[in-house]
Amino acid sequence: MLKLTFLGTGTSQGVPMIGCLCPVCQSSDSRDKRLRSSAMIEDGTTRIIIDSGPDFRYQMLRAEVRDIDAILLTHQHTDHIIGLDDVRAFNYFCSKPIPIYTTELVGSVVRKNFDYAFGQHRYPGVPDINLCTIEEGPFRVGSMEITPIFGRHYRLPVTGFRVGGIGYLTDFNHIDDSELEKLRGLDIFVVNALRHQPHISHYSLPEAIELARKVGAKRTYFTHISHQLGLHSHEEPLLPPTMHLAYDTLTIEIP
Ligand SMILES: [Zn+2]
Ligand SMILES: [Zn+2]
Ligand SMILES: [Zn+2]
């Protein structure tokens, strides 16, 4: 059994956006309240988190997460990495370093942003992070085999992940056909869909739907959603039958 939990489904500014008076940001529907995008995958033995943005601390509290086996980072943008400092709680209560799996490039940005967590003479109490470099092929975290999927976020390389029947891509706007092959036969496909209009570095909803058709998963969920996409209650019924807007706290189990 695999369980996927959406910890956050919003774009970099989150929804509502500070100061915005649009109907989505003013909505009282909890599905229109989107923390920065992050997800948790569990199999009963191993628990991984994908991305740790500015809402990481609250996301761990809200989902009552008390232990994690690893964090996987998709890319180095602030809305995906800047909450890493809060792994300190897991270091403290679980008495272990937290492995962070990402590419060499993203790892170098993590080292720079969190320089106090690395180096010879670390101050007591700083995050205990074990940076693990993702290479071309699959890697293991506990009981899970994880396949990295490489794409582009405009000019930036970005990494998605497949765990069993779950595929998770965020902040993509291009993927080669050879990488798409890694997403064959999915139960659940998660992909970013920012808004209806095109964007330079993110799939729009029409582009995400087109990609989802190509991938052909049993069910698709869209994430990394902007307030410009529209109200959840309005947009959800307009989607093709196997496709849905994700929302924060949504949990999906697959056998
Ligand atoms: Zn992002
Ligand atoms: Zn708004
Ligand atoms: Zn990004």
Side-chain angles (χ1 to χ4, degrees):
M1 194 273 295
L2 272 181
K3 187 167 140 192
L4 167 69
T5 304
F6 288 94
L7 302 170
T9 57
T11 188
S12 60
Q13 305 247 31
V15 183
M17 190 178 155
I18 295 171
C20 186
L21 298 175
C22 83
V24 174
C25 291
Q26 296 296 308
S27 165
S28 58
D29 186 341
S30 61
R31 296 169 305 173
D32 289 317
K33 302 199 182 305
R34 303 181 185 279
L35 298 179
R36 268 54 74 93
S37 290
S38 174
M40 175 163 69
I41 301 177
E42 303 163 275
D43 67 0
T45 307
T46 302
R47 181 180 295 121
I48 59 166
I49 307 291
I50 304 177
D51 287 332
S52 53
D55 299 314
F56 177 70
R57 171 183 169 275
Y58 179 59
Q59 286 164 330
M60 294 301 98
L61 290 169
R62 182 168 69 175
E64 298 183 358
V65 180
R66 296 201 175 81
D67 192 9
I68 59 175
D69 294 290
I71 298 174
L72 281 46
L73 299 177
T74 57
H75 65 301
Q76 63 269 46
H77 281 160
T78 294
D79 57 318
H80 297 261
I81 70 165
I82 212 65
L84 271 183
D85 187 79
D86 282 313
V87 300
R88 284 177 297 143
F90 296 117
N91 297 150
Y92 181 75
F93 287 113
C94 308
S95 308
K96 65 179 186 188
I98 298 297
I100 309 292
Y101 288 84
T102 194
T103 59
E104 199 165 347
L105 174 68
V106 177
S108 69
V109 178
V110 169
R111 276 179 192 281
K112 204 167 100 195
N113 279 346
F114 299 93
D115 59 346
Y116 55 90
F118 299 94
Q120 291 286 311
H121 306 289
R122 299 181 318 135
Y123 192 81
V126 298
D128 193 357
I129 289 169
N130 179 16
L131 265 182
C132 308
T133 302
I134 293 174
E135 311 282 353
E136 202 43 49
F139 57 96
R140 283 199 85 81
V141 175
S143 52
M144 286 182 194
E145 183 175 274
I146 301 163
T147 303
I149 294 150
F150 302 104
R152 296 251 155 214
H153 180 24
Y154 186 44
R155 291 190 178 140
L156 199 69
V158 60
T159 309
F161 302 100
R162 177 175 186 158
V163 183
I166 299 172
Y168 184 95
L169 309 183
T170 192
D171 294 54
F172 274 58
N173 77 330
H174 175 80
I175 182 166
D176 286 338
D177 287 344
S178 56
E179 293 298 296
L180 270 184
E181 285 303 312
K182 299 177 183 172
L183 297 169
R184 292 286 161 233
L186 287 181
D187 292 291
I188 304 291
F189 177 48
V190 182
V191 62
N192 54 294
L194 190 73
R195 61 186 190 189
H196 291 277
Q197 301 84 357
H199 185 274
I200 191 166
S201 62
H202 290 271
Y203 286 129
S204 63
L205 183 63
E207 289 166 342
I209 289 172
E210 191 190 321
L211 180 66
R213 287 208 168 103
K214 261 185 167 173
V215 169
K218 286 184 191 148
R219 281 181 286 167
T220 297
Y221 289 85
F222 300 115
T223 190
H224 209 283
I225 291 167
S226 154
H227 65 149
Q228 295 170 326
L229 187 72
L231 291 166
H232 192 288
S233 59
H234 180 262
E235 299 299 322
E236 169 72 19
L238 304 176
L239 293 172
T242 59
M243 302 187 195
H244 306 278
L245 296 188
Y247 56 88
D248 286 26
T249 72
L250 172 66
T251 296
I252 299 159
E253 288 187 9
I254 59 169

